[in-house]
Amino acid sequence: WGMAGAGSMTAGLAAGGFVSAASDLTEEYDGSSWTAANAMPTAERDPTGAGTQTAGLSIGGNPPSPGLSTATFKYDGTNWSTSPGSMSVARSTATSFGTQTAAIIAGGNEPGINSAEEYDGTNWTTINNLNSPAYSLASAANGTTSHGITFGGASPAGTGLTQTEEYDGTSWTISSAT
């Protein structure tokens, strides 16, 4: 549990997570079965993912050493590499969406933060914050750096969130959808 995911229903990617300790394991999904792939450079529990099976990202997480990660790992369909750019805020249990060269990460960390950053394939840049701090955000489906969505998760008080926030490339707006 607590792994990064990327890809589609017929070409999925799962990386990191927790298997008695932080994991560096990677598996690919072909629509009917999972196959072990090359390991990540560092074990990470609770990273978040973006991209595709052949151009994926694993972002942040909890490495085996104390503290949270600012690292971004890129997957090319065979091997992982470490991106030269680091996030300005170390985080885990965040949400992310986009591609390997244009991604957004938002929220994360217990008891919850509202900061967000944009990735250009090399570097992270701080962008406008979410309206509400949240962690363990549920999902961000088919988002891009010009239009994305995040929903669910938990509040700093530990209660479940039903709030949906939409990103328009500049600002986050709380949606009327719950």
Side-chain angles (χ1 to χ4, degrees), residues 66-154:
L68 300 174
S69 176
T70 60
T72 301
F73 302 121
K74 296 176 167 185
Y75 187 67
D76 66 9
T78 303
N79 296 304
W80 289 95
S81 61
T82 303
S83 176
S86 297
M87 292 181 293
S88 63
V89 175
R91 62 181 86 218
S92 70
T93 66
T95 193
S96 60
F97 52 85
T99 67
Q100 191 181 68
T101 58
I104 301 287
I105 189 167
N109 306 359
E110 192 170 339
I113 58 175
N114 63 345
S115 68
E117 299 183 50
E118 182 173 345
Y119 185 65
D120 65 9
T122 303
N123 297 300
W124 288 96
T125 303
T126 301
I127 59 174
N128 287 322
N129 290 342
L130 290 166
N131 289 285
S132 300
Y135 67 97
S136 297
L137 293 171
S139 183
N142 298 318
T144 67
T145 55
S146 61
H147 190 246
I149 185 172
T150 186
F151 51 88

